[in-house]
Amino acid sequence: MTLAPPRTATAASITDGVKTYGRGDSAVHALDGVSVDFERGAFTAIMGPSGSGKSTLLHTLAGLDALSSGSVRIGNTDLGSLNDRQLTMLRRKSVGFIFQSFNLIPTLTAEENIKLPLTIAGDSADEEWFQTIVGTVGLDDRLTHRPSELSGGQQQRVAAARALVSRPDIIFADEPSGNLDSTSGAELLGFMRRAVREFDQTIVMVTHDPVAAGYADRVVFLADGSVVDEMHEPTPERVLDRMKNLGG
Amino acid sequence: MFTTALKGVLAHRVRLAMTALAIVLGVAFVSGTFVFTDTINARFETLFTDVYAGVDASVRPETPEFGAQPGQNPGSFDESLLADVSAVQGVSVAEGSVAGFAQIIAPNGDPIGGQGPPTLGFSWIDTAALSSVNIADGNGRAPEGPGEVVIDVGTAEGNDLSVGDEVGIQTLGGTETFEIVGLANFGTEDNLAGATLSIFSLDEGQRLFGLEGRLTAIDVLGADAVTPEALVEAIAPILPEGSEVVTGDQQTQEQLASITEGLGFLSAALLAFAGIAVFVGAFVIQNTFRIVVAQRIRELALFRAVGATGRQLVSLVTMEALIVGTAASIVGVFAGIGVATGIKAAMNAGGFGLPDGPLTVEPRTVIVGLAVGIVVTLVSALLPARRAATVPPVAAMTESAAPATGRSLRRRSLGGTLTLLIGGAMLAGGLVAENGASLTLVALGSLTLFIGVSVLAPVFAIPIARVLGRPLPGITGDLARENTIRQPRRTASTAAALMIGVALVSFVSIFAASIKATVSDTLEGAFPADLAFQSTNFTSGVSPELEAELEALDEFDIVSAVRAGYIRIDGEELNVAGVDGDVEAVYDMTPSIDVADLGDGMLVAQSVLSERGWQVGDIVDVEYAATGIVPTAIAGTFEDQTFANYIVSLDTYGANFSNESIIIAFASLSDGVAVEAGQQAAETVLASFPNLDMNTASEQIADAEAQVDQLVALFSGLLGLAVVIAVIGIANTLSLSIVERTREIGLLRAVGMTRRQIRRMVRWEAIIVAVFGALLGVLVGSGIGWATVFSLADDGLGTFAFPVGQLVIWLALAAVAGVVAAAGPARTAAKMNVLEAISYE
Ligand SMILES: Nc1ncnc2c1ncn2[C@@H]1O[C@H](COP(=O)(O)OP(=O)(O)OP(=O)(O)O)[C@@H](O)[C@H]1O
Ligand SMILES: [Mg+2]
């Protein structure tokens, strides 16, 4: 392991997070007083019915969107005090993303896409780390391909590799397997879990799928913009049960 | 269908607004040129009709059929004719006058005007109805005796002169001092199209112009019941040989024609530039419509899926083009009125006194403006519209509707090469056409060439963009390069619009550099003379006394003056020079026979001999305006040089021309006299010839080069419009591409790209496209330039020059143009909200 700055036990946290869209009668409270801590080196899944505020939570945690009130921390940094440029730098160094689709730049090869956060920052890649990631996601022979030449599952694995390449404090994934068939989904999720277990990464993933949630160490349940429950060492069956109770 | 089309236009209004801008600019320039020309013509017509309203008939010397030299004093008749004309039945008042060349010299010794508009001198006419000028209220009186002059208000104001001031007046007889006793208006105007007017009493005029006892015009006012035609009929029989009588109307029309002739050339030139702008605009429009169609493939496919035929889609897109074209053309016609006002203001600022008055907007202007805008838009939208028809309904369901590129690259290469060849052949044909180049063929050839290159451009777009993009630093450079490559057709047609402007500017640069090189080669080679004296007044020569006065100075060894006039051979009007035997001593021209031994024969340049298939010893029919056809022997020949292709002895010249004024004089210094000493000595003589320039060989080269440079600047400025439209095109393509790449940009921002990096990326992309276009332009321009210079080698353009520095500057400016074009799109891209961009559909 390379020398890293002292790390807090909590990779990210949100306290009393409120996000309101609109005003007056038509106001929607997408987040309604959410407080969650995300432990370093853990794989957390966020679940909840449609419209419960999962994506909003993820976006505010990642600094892509600002809270109406409350605070978000990533590592030691309070996001509320950052301007656009500082937020950009934070995303560059400390945050990784995996979106549901359109994760890659079509003009760049798989390798270039993976290294993108580093290239943007003007850093050179740690080749050993790069090889480790690529080996783990099983993309060794696809590195020179463009996104259009990759399957959906491969594209998502490239995106996952990209999220890992800069060894961020935390990786956010919004339904990363949502567009994949079960085999590709399982491959991707398996890889994400290995990243947490073997490389000590921290991942927060939004999902609808109890099977996907089963890969996580912990599940946080959201309803109407607040945390209603959580579960450790989940299994798909238990998650499904829980979901039924929530009425999702 | 119309409503659907209108909705389409409104939905894409931002995209189409940029397209519309290209049309607006082109149409504005076209209609602006018309409005300007019509306005000026109409104003001059009113002015002249007013001014000559009182003249029923005018007696004047017959104008020679050809060879009338501007600035040369016109013919004249004896003043006794005035009494004869006055006595004719039906004549109420007749008044005689003289006119001639008169240059006003400011108190500081500088000549006023003369570098374009004429310097007119004439005598005062007492009968107000017959006079074109009148004393401006409160500005003195008419000239009455020796030493008195009236000048026009415009010239007076422009040079801080007023009643009571003294000025010099230079005529062919020399320079004298006059007191300004009054300021005159020409009709209602301060000034006549930039000309300077000097008005004397009749006696003084006759003396100054060397016309004692003679008149150059008699203006006649008819009795009440007599028509001008009847008057002309009555006067004609009493006129001596060599004079004629015309109605006042005809006189007005002729004067008008000579004034508007110059304007006609100007308006033709402006229209040509407007045409270029429209042509470039067509590229921009075509490109925009193609991108918009490509971006709407899913929408169009949906139309197909719900049952629209391909034909209906074509008419949908065509209808949209019609709406955009019509709207933009209407705006363009209105903008044209502003353009006309601008051109007029610019010309007045440049010293052309154009008459005031309301703008003239002819129906023709509106019709042509609208037609040009609408037709160009429709034609440009034709190909994109046809493409819309080929959209399969299933495209509505597929994820990515990005068109397959490179599909028809071979067909494209073939078609492009063919077009290129046809254009090249037309160009070559036009350049070597009989009796000089055929301008139409050259222009059409060039246009075809442009289209050919733009068809071929996508084939080169990928490799060239790769090479251009290689040196760009960082990920922003890489992404920019890849973005230009991913849609080579889009990149190529965006670049092609810029190519046209740059090609023309490069052509002008090369052509001008070649002219300069040729001039300096010729002058350097053929200028043993130490000094040359040349008139600064384009419209007149210098009094023959100059030669004697220079010869009288000890500092000069040999002085040789050259006279020049027009002859006709086989109906073609040509320049002939009259020289004395000394010319060989001061000008390096080694003719095959000494000028002194020329006799009645003439020297003909070698290139002319070979071109016309003549030989020394042949007899050629030379026609002179004054003496008619004179069979002349070709006595000898000489290598081509600058001042004329036909040379006769001074005696022959004198026998056939009445005008003795000097065009240029060469002088060599006496032994041991330094150039500076010679110049100083000559200054004393020059004091009485204020409109004379004294030059050493290198100064003369510099002078010629400065003139060429001025033209280059003017043309480049006008071609700037084409470049501006191309820049709009680049901005347009970029904004459209950026909308397409919203998600991508959002992603880049999400993984840590700063706004600044996004801006830089867009800027690099614009620079690649612009430099690509400029490179093509320089290439095509160089080709056309080389071909033109090559084809004119026989006409004296002997040296091909390739102004590398200047062309590099054009490339650099193209890069700057790219940055300018990128400004808006870069800001839009950088401002995107990351979250919205990521979730953009
Ligand atoms: N930009 C917005 N403007 C207004 N309301 C919004 C906006 N974005 C989200 N909302 C609202 O906030 C609430 C939470 O939305 P969010 O996207 O976080 O839900 P989600 O849990 O991710 O749902 P899904 O599972 O369907 O993705 C919803 O009611 C939604 O309508
Ligand atoms: Mg969501």
Side-chain angles (χ1 to χ4, degrees), chain B residues 22 38 469 501 631 776 800:
Chain B
D38 292 344
L776 287 180
F800 174 75

PDB file of all heavy atoms in Angstrom, chain B residues 22 38 469 501 631 776 800:
ATOM      1  N   ALA B  22     -26.388  33.993 -41.113  1.00  0.00           N
ATOM      2  CA  ALA B  22     -25.573  33.883 -42.327  1.00  0.00           C
ATOM      3  C   ALA B  22     -26.347  34.410 -43.531  1.00  0.00           C
ATOM      4  O   ALA B  22     -25.791  35.115 -44.373  1.00  0.00           O
ATOM      5  CB  ALA B  22     -25.157  32.432 -42.551  1.00  0.00           C
ATOM      6  N   ASP B  38     -28.368  52.636 -56.362  1.00  0.00           N
ATOM      7  CA  ASP B  38     -29.588  53.309 -56.817  1.00  0.00           C
ATOM      8  C   ASP B  38     -29.689  54.705 -56.220  1.00  0.00           C
ATOM      9  O   ASP B  38     -30.051  55.662 -56.897  1.00  0.00           O
ATOM     10  CB  ASP B  38     -30.832  52.505 -56.407  1.00  0.00           C
ATOM     11  CG  ASP B  38     -30.901  51.188 -57.166  1.00  0.00           C
ATOM     12  OD1 ASP B  38     -30.193  51.068 -58.184  1.00  0.00           O
ATOM     13  OD2 ASP B  38     -31.653  50.294 -56.731  1.00  0.00           O
ATOM     14  N   GLY B 469      -4.117  18.228 -34.579  1.00  0.00           N
ATOM     15  CA  GLY B 469      -4.463  18.106 -33.164  1.00  0.00           C
ATOM     16  C   GLY B 469      -3.331  17.532 -32.331  1.00  0.00           C
ATOM     17  O   GLY B 469      -3.337  17.651 -31.107  1.00  0.00           O
ATOM     18  N   GLY B 501     -13.167  31.920 -48.112  1.00  0.00           N
ATOM     19  CA  GLY B 501     -12.635  33.250 -47.810  1.00  0.00           C
ATOM     20  C   GLY B 501     -11.115  33.258 -47.798  1.00  0.00           C
ATOM     21  O   GLY B 501     -10.483  34.126 -48.403  1.00  0.00           O
ATOM     22  N   PRO B 631      -0.360  54.235 -91.863  1.00  0.00           N
ATOM     23  CA  PRO B 631       0.415  52.998 -92.004  1.00  0.00           C
ATOM     24  C   PRO B 631       1.817  53.224 -91.453  1.00  0.00           C
ATOM     25  O   PRO B 631       2.478  54.185 -91.844  1.00  0.00           O
ATOM     26  CB  PRO B 631       0.444  52.750 -93.517  1.00  0.00           C
ATOM     27  CG  PRO B 631      -0.637  53.625 -94.079  1.00  0.00           C
ATOM     28  CD  PRO B 631      -0.745  54.799 -93.160  1.00  0.00           C
ATOM     29  N   LEU B 776      -6.738  24.388 -46.242  1.00  0.00           N
ATOM     30  CA  LEU B 776      -7.339  24.099 -47.544  1.00  0.00           C
ATOM     31  C   LEU B 776      -7.396  25.373 -48.379  1.00  0.00           C
ATOM     32  O   LEU B 776      -7.091  25.375 -49.567  1.00  0.00           O
ATOM     33  CB  LEU B 776      -8.758  23.557 -47.372  1.00  0.00           C
ATOM     34  CG  LEU B 776      -8.915  22.138 -46.839  1.00  0.00           C
ATOM     35  CD1 LEU B 776     -10.391  21.793 -46.735  1.00  0.00           C
ATOM     36  CD2 LEU B 776      -8.219  21.148 -47.761  1.00  0.00           C
ATOM     37  N   PHE B 800       6.599  34.793 -60.370  1.00  0.00           N
ATOM     38  CA  PHE B 800       5.648  34.250 -59.411  1.00  0.00           C
ATOM     39  C   PHE B 800       6.246  34.383 -58.018  1.00  0.00           C
ATOM     40  O   PHE B 800       7.352  33.929 -57.753  1.00  0.00           O
ATOM     41  CB  PHE B 800       5.354  32.780 -59.723  1.00  0.00           C
ATOM     42  CG  PHE B 800       4.490  32.109 -58.687  1.00  0.00           C
ATOM     43  CD1 PHE B 800       3.133  32.375 -58.626  1.00  0.00           C
ATOM     44  CD2 PHE B 800       5.035  31.221 -57.787  1.00  0.00           C
ATOM     45  CE1 PHE B 800       2.329  31.768 -57.684  1.00  0.00           C
ATOM     46  CE2 PHE B 800       4.231  30.608 -56.822  1.00  0.00           C
ATOM     47  CZ  PHE B 800       2.882  30.886 -56.781  1.00  0.00           C
TER      48      PHE B 800
END
